[in-house]
Amino acid sequence: MLLNPFKFYSPQTLKEAAELHSSLPETRILAGGTFLLSSLKMMKRKGLKTPKNIISLKRIPELTGISANDQAITIKAMTTIDEVFASPLLKDNFQVLRTVCRNISTQPIRNAATIGGNLTCRYTWTEMPSTMIGLDAALHFTDAQLNISSLSAEEFFKASAKTDKLLTHITIKRDKGAAIAYQRVRRSSSVDIPLLSLIIKTNFQGKKFTNTRVAVNNCVTFAPRDTVLENFLSQSTASPTIAQEALDHLDKNIYDTRSGEYKQHMFRVSIKKAVEDLVKQAK
């Protein structure tokens, strides 16, 4: 399918890209391209208005790479999903990113798709948002003057992932003592996108849950935290019955939103498995 006409820009510096982004009207960003090209085709098929300008970030070296120290990991926005997956820096609480990356589509897609594109595409079913919220990640943006501003992943998705700035990088604090459980259910055997996913991160003091975060992707709204389940777990210990008890302490607004009986059942199965996984880690 031929796309509607647009002007294509390929800046080579972050400053040039930020200036173009702030000055050009009706603009979309090309990161990995996997979401954008599909979106442009869909918009044309439906007769919708398409953007007049496309800005590619692929030639900007400042936006690629991963680094880590004792305090945090930093992932630049144009780092591909496969580069994240293969990074030897994914240790401690960062290890879950390898599992999440492996779940994203196929190898050709992972070679092209970027972590920044996954986070800012504004599709509610993408893999990374709930994980970034669960890990308490910070997203960093730049304006045309290269002034950096930051938002927690939770704040960003509460605002429906809207921004008039460019995402430059993501940081996640290192937590060597974290226990993490991640669960995901695919939509179907032939379509490898999630029906749902969730992450639970906690720190055990003995067998007591502390500092617990639960982030849930119901794939129809932007990922939120389940503070009801968080509060219950943070007052609990890793007992043989805690996984079953947890199912009586959920924010039903998250799990019941546009969810049929099967999806609600799979949420309960996934939550129970996640808590059971954490109980094993506590031992």
Side-chain angles (χ1 to χ4, degrees), residues 7-267:
K7 288 186 177 181
F8 184 81
Y9 298 84
S10 186
Q12 299 185 47
T13 68
L14 179 58
K15 182 172 178 58
E16 183 184 358
E19 289 175 346
L20 285 169
H21 187 245
S22 66
S23 62
L24 292 173
E26 300 179 43
T27 300
R28 294 288 296 272
I29 296 296
L30 178 68
T34 55
F35 287 131
L36 179 61
L37 295 178
S38 296
S39 176
L40 293 177
K41 291 176 182 179
M42 180 272 294
M43 293 167 74
K44 182 176 181 180
R45 280 197 302 268
K46 293 186 175 182
L48 301 175
K49 187 177 181 180
T50 54
K52 293 181 178 179
N53 301 290
I54 302 294
I55 302 173
S56 171
L57 305 181
K58 291 188 176 183
R59 299 177 66 190
I60 304 175
E62 301 158 83
L63 293 179
T64 303
I66 306 175
S67 60
N69 55 33
D70 285 343
Q71 285 72 48
I73 193 169
T74 298
I75 307 173
K76 301 289 186 67
M78 286 295 291
T79 305
T80 68
I81 298 299
D82 191 61
E83 288 169 337
V84 177
F85 171 80
S87 175
L89 300 176
L90 299 187
K91 300 177 181 179
D92 302 323
N93 53 310
F94 313 140
Q95 293 183 58
V96 68
L97 293 174
R98 184 168 288 114
T99 301
V100 178
C101 288
R102 186 175 60 240
N103 287 333
I104 294 176
S105 192
T106 61
Q107 187 63 50
I109 295 293
R110 292 192 290 269
N111 288 341
T114 65
I115 193 165
N118 192 282
L119 288 168
T120 61
C121 66
R122 304 196 69 236
Y123 287 112
T124 56
W125 48 264
T126 53
E127 305 275 357
M128 285 292 176
S130 59
T131 304
M132 291 298 171
I133 294 171
L135 293 176
D136 197 15
L139 278 56
H140 307 273
F141 302 85
T142 186
D143 61 17
Q145 290 74 43
L146 299 187
N147 297 313
I148 299 294
S149 58
S150 302
L151 275 177
S152 69
E154 181 182 5
E155 292 173 311
F156 181 64
F157 290 105
K158 273 185 179 179
S160 301
K162 293 180 180 179
T163 180
D164 58 355
K165 301 175 182 179
L166 292 180
L167 177 66
T168 58
H169 60 288
I170 302 102
T171 56
I172 307 169
K173 293 181 180 178
R174 188 182 296 277
D175 188 348
K176 295 181 179 181
I180 297 175
Y182 173 79
Q183 290 288 321
R184 177 206 197 244
V185 177
R186 64 191 296 173
R187 187 169 296 276
S188 71
S189 59
S190 58
V191 181
D192 194 16
I193 61 175
L195 175 72
L196 59 91
S197 63
L198 64 94
I199 181 172
I200 306 177
K201 174 181 176 291
T202 196
N203 295 89
F204 284 109
Q205 292 183 356
K207 289 192 175 183
K208 188 178 187 305
F209 290 82
T210 65
N211 303 318
T212 305
R213 291 178 70 91
V214 180
V216 181
N217 184 1
N218 63 15
C219 296
V220 294
T221 61
F222 289 103
R225 287 171 64 184
D226 184 343
T227 56
V228 177
L229 181 54
E230 286 179 1
N231 291 336
F232 169 74
L233 289 175
S234 291
Q235 299 172 31
S236 304
T237 57
S239 68
T241 60
I242 190 63
Q244 183 65 42
E245 293 169 9
L247 300 180
D248 295 325
H249 299 84
L250 306 177
D251 183 344
K252 293 185 178 180
N253 291 327
I254 297 173
Y255 308 100
D256 293 353
T257 299
R258 291 166 58 186
S259 294
E261 185 176 339
Y262 170 73
K263 189 173 181 180
Q264 292 175 21
H265 171 72
M266 292 311 300
F267 263 126

Side-chain angles (χ1 to χ4, degrees), residues 183 185 196 198 266-275:
Q183 290 288 321
V185 177
L196 59 91
L198 64 94
M266 292 311 300
F267 263 126
R268 294 177 66 84
V269 170
S270 299
I271 291 165
K272 187 175 181 180
K273 285 183 177 179
V275 177

